[in-house]
Amino acid sequence: LQGFNSRDAGERNAFQYECSSGYFIIAQCNQLLKSLENPDIQFTGDAATKRNALKAWALWWKGYAYSRIGSMYLAGIITNDPGATNDNFVHRDAIMTEANKVLNDCLATLNAITAANAHYSSVMQAIVASFNDNGNVVTPDMWKRQVYTLQARNLLVNKKVKTMTATDWQNVLALADKGILKTDNIFKFG
């Protein structure tokens, strides 16, 4: 794999697919986030819940994609504009900082959803593909626990054991304690 880990290797570089997939997800999330700012887009019923569910969806997957990119690559780019890229490659630590910032924004958005009502469920069943089990809706509380679990994972796998401090280990434990429960529905990718 190392012999083909360059741009010159083209399709023979297996690492390009994870990177491309991550940035495709980020581009789609940026498009959704921008679209949700458009005042011409109107929602029926509980508009705030529907808008927040879609916003949290975009933030979750954007944070997930940055988490994967920051965990696998030495550098990457941060972009918030749909379809835009740049040549400002930043260290993986900056990518992980962005991932956790976006995941915290997702938590704040989920906290704005007052209840997992029928409007919330209808949005979630519409945006989750049927082959990813859209019949078992991930409630806002279950979703928050997924965010905490991903943040624990981000901290755990992105620091070398020898540089982990007692505070780092305590943060991993605290996040994991707030994380996914055995009975939770979770998002599936694939």
Side-chain angles (χ1 to χ4, degrees):
L1 289 173
Q2 285 182 333
F4 293 110
N5 189 12
S6 71
R7 289 186 182 160
D8 295 335
E11 292 180 359
R12 294 174 296 160
N13 181 357
F15 297 108
Q16 78 169 343
Y17 299 106
E18 183 79 24
C19 184
S20 296
S21 175
Y23 280 109
F24 288 145
I25 291 169
I26 291 167
Q28 292 170 349
C29 294
N30 286 340
Q31 184 63 56
L32 178 54
L33 290 168
K34 182 175 180 165
S35 297
L36 290 170
E37 294 174 3
N38 184 342
D40 294 334
I41 295 178
Q42 300 294 313
F43 293 92
T44 59
D46 187 349
T49 294
K50 289 179 177 181
R51 187 176 302 276
N52 282 329
L54 290 168
K55 182 177 179 183
W57 178 258
L59 292 168
W60 161 256
W61 288 110
K62 186 174 177 177
Y64 173 86
Y66 276 131
S67 296
R68 298 284 300 174
I69 292 166
S71 295
M72 291 187 66
Y73 302 98
L74 293 176
I77 63 167
I78 296 172
T79 179
N80 293 307
D81 298 317
T85 188
N86 60 62
D87 60 359
N88 184 22
F89 282 83
V90 296
H91 189 268
R92 60 187 299 279
D93 292 343
I95 298 292
M96 294 312 300
T97 298
E98 182 68 11
N100 284 314
K101 178 185 135 331
V102 173
L103 290 170
N104 284 331
D105 290 346
C106 181
L107 286 170
T109 303
L110 290 168
N111 285 332
I113 298 174
T114 55
N117 58 28
H119 299 278
Y120 172 85
S121 293
S122 69
V123 168
M124 296 308 294
Q125 288 175 328
I127 61 177
V128 174
S130 60
F131 57 81
N132 281 333
D133 194 18
N134 68 348
N136 290 311
V137 173
V138 175
T139 67
D141 286 338
M142 291 174 184
W143 199 342
K144 290 177 211 174
R145 289 191 288 271
Q146 284 186 85
V147 171
Y148 294 129
T149 298
L150 183 55
Q151 287 178 323
R153 173 237 175 248
N154 284 350
L155 179 55
L156 186 64
V157 304
N158 286 288
K159 276 192 113 169
K160 298 209 182 285
V161 173
K162 66 182 177 184
T163 63
M164 289 285 281
T165 65
T167 302
D168 289 333
W169 288 113
Q170 191 56 46
N171 287 338
V172 169
L173 281 172
L175 289 165
D177 283 345
K178 295 190 298 186
I180 297 172
L181 301 175
K182 182 178 180 180
T183 55
D184 283 348
N185 299 323
I186 59 168
F187 293 125
K188 298 166 181 78
F189 183 84

